[in-house]
Amino acid sequence: MNYLRSFIPWLVFAAVSSAGWQWGALAGLVTAAALLVADRAAGLSLDYRLLEYGTILFFAALSVLAFARPDSGLQRYGSALSTGWLALIAWVSIAAQRPFTMGIARRMAPPEVWHTPLFRRINVVLTAAWALSFTLTALAQTAVSAYHGNVIYSIVIQIAGFVLPIRFTAAYPERARARFMENSGARNDIQGDMAS
């Protein structure tokens, strides 16, 4: 559920946008800023918060655009733009060697594992899965918007774009840890055989 917390501003944007995309953007901005302030007040480090900073930047820019041009044709592509931005954040966080999932995972994992190669590797893989899902979702949403597809298609695509990486995120870390332990055990056996 910690993963969902990071996406609350995006869910607020989606929900409030039915009253006007400018209000959805503003609500997303306020929510994102409030969550970042709450994390800081709780003593959480602001390192590895590329997702949160990127979210604030997106909603600040979208709010300015949406209030300045409420009738802009970009409104129709709001879902594709937001998911595309999330994809960009995810890919950039990997390139910057600060996978966005690390900020979330640090809320759940003990500090002694934060700097281990396994923790980093798990988070790179998880962030890549989210990045790929966001990229494919943004492309699909763009096609639905460009061809004036039914809103039901857009909703199904958006849900799938979150549910699939959520399921992967729930399953992958344990599999990666089990494989690591299995490989470590095999290495320890080999080293033990060599020593004797």
Side-chain angles (χ1 to χ4, degrees):
M1 293 308 282
N2 278 314
Y3 279 90
L4 291 180
R5 183 183 186 280
S6 297
F7 296 111
I8 289 173
W10 302 93
L11 298 172
V12 168
F13 167 65
V16 177
S17 286
S18 60
W21 73 315
Q22 65 272 41
W23 300 112
L26 186 60
L29 175 61
V30 169
T31 304
L35 288 171
L36 192 62
V37 168
D39 282 351
R40 189 66 189 133
L44 296 174
S45 167
L46 296 182
D47 290 345
Y48 295 95
R49 297 303 170 112
L50 217 58
L51 177 61
E52 288 81 354
Y53 296 132
T55 297
I56 290 171
L57 179 63
F58 177 82
F59 285 125
L62 188 63
S63 293
V64 170
L65 172 67
F67 278 102
R69 300 273 321 271
D71 59 341
S72 170
L74 286 177
Q75 178 179 1
R76 184 173 56 175
Y77 293 92
S79 185
L81 286 171
S82 61
T83 312
W85 184 259
L86 284 168
L88 180 64
I89 291 170
W91 291 120
V92 166
S93 75
I94 292 170
Q97 298 182 8
R98 292 185 173 277
F100 84 81
T101 59
M102 286 185 83
I104 300 165
R106 284 177 167 211
R107 291 185 191 131
M108 300 176 282
E112 57 269 13
V113 302
W114 291 357
H115 301 289
T116 65
L118 177 62
F119 185 76
R120 175 167 287 287
R121 176 72 184 143
I122 287 171
N123 281 283
V124 167
V125 170
L126 292 178
T127 300
W130 282 94
L132 179 61
S133 181
F134 290 147
T135 301
L136 296 175
T137 301
L139 292 172
Q141 292 287 22
T142 300
V144 168
S145 296
Y147 293 105
H148 305 284
N150 190 312
V151 71
I152 296 298
Y153 296 135
S154 182
I155 291 169
V156 169
I157 290 166
Q158 199 69 35
I159 290 171
F162 277 89
V163 169
L164 295 174
I166 285 171
R167 291 188 64 159
F168 181 75
T169 298
Y172 177 75
E174 195 53 47
R175 286 195 327 250
R177 282 190 287 274
R179 192 172 339 136
F180 175 79
M181 295 306 287
E182 185 178 295
N183 289 342
S184 293
R187 264 182 291 198
N188 288 342
D189 290 345
I190 291 169
Q191 287 174 350
D193 289 343
M194 291 173 65
S196 48

